[in-house]
Amino acid sequence: MYTLIVYDVEEKKVAKVNKFLKTYLNWVQNSVFEGELTDAQLNRIISWIKAHLDLEIDSVMIYTARSEKWLSKKIIGVEKNSTNNIL
Amino acid sequence: MYTLIVYDVEEKKVAKVNKFLKTYLNWVQNSVFEGELTDAQLNRIISWIKAHLDLEIDSVMIYTARSEKWLSKKIIGVEKNSTNNIL
């Protein structure tokens, strides 16, 4: 499914979270990743987040759409990073 | 349509952008807003962004889904702010 992940975590964890999410998704903006995931991949990401972040302090929002056709995307200003799966 | 806006702008503009977006959408996380908008409202937001931000430096990503039913949302960790239109 098409997935968008937006996180807000303590500064010291940002590099670790980015490095992990880059193995599954495309980085599109400061603290935002997107791309196509299988259910198994999404479950792996959720498990990693629960294991490595402080759920009392950090926050991760995961939006999923069954198909990327159901989402449209517009960028105004700088495109921080283009994805292979541009919407 | 259901709209998600994620911005990455110069620090000095953050308060102004938040204040503006709050008049149309729910704030859900650091630099993320979401909610239902009409086409006219979305066009007004896009015009404001183009007029008030520096398109060479700042970046705003706007994701839209024709219906909020097409998007599902999961929050792991802290829910920074709940919306009235929780997905």
Side-chain angles (χ1 to χ4, degrees), chain A residues 34 59 62-64 72 74 78, chain B residues 34 59 62-64 72 78:
Chain A
E34 67 179 58
S59 176
I62 302 176
Y63 295 89
T64 53
S72 69
K74 183 180 176 66
V78 184
Chain B
E34 67 179 58
S59 175
I62 302 176
Y63 295 88
T64 53
S72 70
V78 184

Side-chain angles (χ1 to χ4, degrees), chain B residues 1 6 13 16 18 22 34 37 39 45 49 51 54 59-60 65 67 74-75 86:
Chain B
M1 74 213 82
V6 187
K13 297 173 200 153
K16 185 170 76 172
N18 279 348
K22 271 180 191 162
E34 67 179 58
L37 293 178
D39 284 349
I45 289 174
I49 289 168
D54 181 339
S59 175
V60 179
S67 163
K74 182 179 176 65
I75 298 175
I86 196 78

Side-chain angles (χ1 to χ4, degrees), chain B residues 3-87:
Chain B
T3 307
L4 183 69
I5 295 185
V6 187
Y7 67 77
D8 182 3
V9 305
E10 283 185 298
E11 188 61 33
K12 62 183 180 187
K13 297 173 200 153
V14 166
K16 185 170 76 172
V17 173
N18 279 348
K19 190 178 167 194
F20 172 74
L21 289 177
K22 271 180 191 162
T23 62
Y24 292 96
L25 294 163
N26 303 297
W27 175 75
V28 287
Q29 199 193 69
N30 181 32
S31 74
V32 186
F33 285 81
E34 67 179 58
E36 191 67 35
L37 293 178
T38 63
D39 284 349
Q41 288 173 321
L42 181 56
N43 288 334
R44 228 172 295 144
I45 289 174
I46 292 170
S47 298
W48 187 93
I49 289 168
K50 289 181 175 169
H52 292 84
L53 298 184
D54 181 339
L55 306 184
E56 306 284 312
I57 296 173
D58 303 315
S59 175
V60 179
M61 297 192 306
I62 302 176
Y63 295 88
T64 53
R66 240 175 292 166
S67 163
E68 67 178 276
K69 286 179 291 186
W70 291 3
L71 263 187
S72 70
K73 180 181 173 182
K74 182 179 176 65
I75 298 175
I76 308 174
V78 184
E79 185 161 356
K80 301 277 174 156
N81 199 15
S82 62
T83 68
N84 295 323
N85 303 308
I86 196 78
L87 291 178

